[in-house]
Each structure stands twice: as C-alpha cells, then as structure tokens.
Amino acid sequence: MDQLQVIVDAELDSQVLLVPHGDQWHVSHANLSARSLLGQNLRLPAVGAIVAGCRSVWDDGVPINLADVHWPGEQRWFDVRIRALYARVSLTLIDVTLQHLSREALMDSQCRYRLLAENAGDLVFKVSGGRLEWISASVRDLLGWDQTDVIGRRVDEFVHPDDQECVRSACELTGGPMIYEARFRHRAGTWVVLSVEMRQAEDLVGYVIRVGSARALQGAAT
C-alpha cells in the first residue's frame, strides 16, 4: 500500500502532494476532497501565492501559511498550509468560505451603518461595558468634542452627576428600548440636555451591542 496516500487520505481537509516539473507542479497524491477541487486532470491552478509558496518551500524547506486564498472559478476561500513532506511539497487547504463571507457581510454592514450615521443629523453611538466604542462625527457639532476625544472613554465621564444613574442603566440595557433625557458636558464647559434613545441589538456574528441616538433639546444648553 502507498504509505503517502494513506497519510494524505487521513487528512480531513483537502490535501495534495506535489513535485516540481519545470515551471509546473505535478500532483503525486491527493485525497478525495482535493480531487474534487483539482478536477480529473489533478492540475494545480495557477494561483500566484500558492505557486510562489510551493517554490519557496521546495527551495528552503521553511513552512508557509497563506490566509484567505480565493480558489479560481469558485466562490470558495481557503487557508493554505504549505510544507515539505517526504521530498515533496504538501498543500493542506482549509475551507474558510463561511468565515470569509461573514467578515465581508460584517464589513459591508458596518460601512453602511457608518455612512448613514455620519450623514444623520442625530448623534449616533455604540456602547460596550459603559464605554463608547464608536460615535458619529456629529458629536463635534453637538458637544464640541472630536471623535478621538471620546471613543474609548466611559460615557458617565461626560454626564452631569445628577443624571449618571439613568445613563448607566441605559448603558447596561437588557430589555426593550429606553428613552431618557440627561445633561452632557460640552467641551466649552456648559451642559447640553440630550434626548437619548438606547436599544439592545446583535451584530452579524451574534455579539450583543448597545446602540443609541441622541439629539439636543432646543434651548436646553446650560
């Protein structure tokens, strides 16, 4: 029995063993999962990063890991481990398609969310553990602060002492939406009364977040 084929077949992920043939790579062994990727001719596609990695490992013997490699002709992405094995180059292809698509969806969602928030008249923000994780640029018009001044700081640092209890409760919200009014410190040292709506939500990967929107009550600066 071919011992190398036994080793390859034992891999749950797609695995291929290669030997160089001029500028090309000849597949000497492949498990069933890899065969479905390579097709009947068992030909390694001309993915530049993989081909260069194979040559580097063949010449130097130092393993290489590639992340999020798109497989040509398919909507699939793989993390690729390349290493030397028994006078051959071994490829292990770990399917990360779901993770890739989830990251893309999350990034797209965040991009759209920020685009809406940055162009909204209201102040929009996200809170975690009582700290501001993100806030829209309208904080400058409303309270005089730059985003970099406040992101990462505790919300209650900017709240009038008499209003802090309700603000803390809203930041730890576990039920439905909560609407409150509170005085927030303007950079100039005055207090601005904001009407705030907080709600609990989930991001695309299932983490609980708390988001809010706020607007100044007319004539309420003190």
Side-chain angles (χ1 to χ4, degrees), residues 46-107:
V47 179
I50 294 178
V51 173
C54 288
R55 174 55 60 184
S56 177
V57 169
W58 180 262
D59 291 341
D60 304 328
V62 179
I64 291 175
N65 294 325
L66 304 175
D68 219 23
V69 176
H70 178 242
W71 197 258
E74 297 192 36
Q75 286 295 99
R76 298 178 72 180
W77 286 261
F78 294 87
D79 285 352
V80 184
R81 294 202 308 261
I82 310 174
R83 63 187 190 276
L85 182 67
Y86 297 110
R88 289 169 171 78
V89 171
S90 165
L91 294 185
T92 303
L93 301 145
I94 303 162
D95 195 324
V96 293
T97 301
L98 288 178
Q99 296 94 311
H100 175 91
L101 295 176
S102 294
R103 284 195 301 271
E104 279 200 336
L106 180 59
M107 289 173 64

Side-chain angles (χ1 to χ4, degrees), residues 8-204:
V8 167
D9 287 337
E11 278 282 348
L12 296 178
D13 298 304
S14 301
Q15 185 167 32
V16 181
L17 297 184
L18 304 161
V19 291
H21 186 69
D23 292 332
Q24 305 295 319
W25 290 90
H26 171 69
V27 177
S28 65
H29 298 79
N31 63 6
L32 185 61
S33 177
R35 288 173 182 273
S36 71
L37 277 174
L38 299 175
Q40 279 189 329
N41 294 329
L42 295 182
R43 184 183 297 275
L44 182 69
V47 179
I50 294 178
V51 173
C54 288
R55 174 55 60 184
S56 177
V57 169
W58 180 262
D59 291 341
D60 304 328
V62 179
I64 291 175
N65 294 325
L66 304 175
D68 219 23
V69 176
H70 178 242
W71 197 258
E74 297 192 36
Q75 286 295 99
R76 298 178 72 180
W77 286 261
F78 294 87
D79 285 352
V80 184
R81 294 202 308 261
I82 310 174
R83 63 187 190 276
L85 182 67
Y86 297 110
R88 289 169 171 78
V89 171
S90 165
L91 294 185
T92 303
L93 301 145
I94 303 162
D95 195 324
V96 293
T97 301
L98 288 178
Q99 296 94 311
H100 175 91
L101 295 176
S102 294
R103 284 195 301 271
E104 279 200 336
L106 180 59
M107 289 173 64
D108 180 62
S109 173
Q110 290 175 337
C111 180
R112 285 186 282 110
Y113 171 76
R114 291 192 176 195
L115 183 63
L116 287 170
E118 295 289 4
N119 289 279
D122 290 352
L123 179 66
V124 182
F125 57 94
K126 182 170 72 169
V127 175
S128 177
R131 294 184 181 276
L132 285 159
E133 282 198 345
W134 181 81
I135 195 166
S136 61
S138 51
V139 67
R140 172 185 278 274
D141 295 331
L142 201 58
L143 296 174
W145 302 98
D146 289 328
Q147 291 165 293
T148 53
D149 294 327
V150 299
I151 290 175
R153 293 171 66 178
R154 294 193 60 81
V155 178
D156 54 19
E157 291 182 49
F158 301 93
V159 178
H160 191 284
D162 293 341
D163 299 336
Q164 289 188 1
E165 186 174 346
C166 76
V167 172
R168 289 194 190 105
S169 296
C171 291
E172 297 168 2
L173 183 70
T174 56
M178 178 177 176
I179 299 174
Y180 65 90
E181 294 178 7
R183 287 161 286 184
F184 287 80
R185 181 160 53 92
H186 193 280
R187 189 169 194 164
T190 57
W191 296 100
V192 179
V193 181
L194 301 183
S195 175
V196 183
E197 179 176 353
M198 292 288 296
R199 63 179 61 247
Q200 183 176 285
E202 282 190 3
D203 63 19
L204 290 180

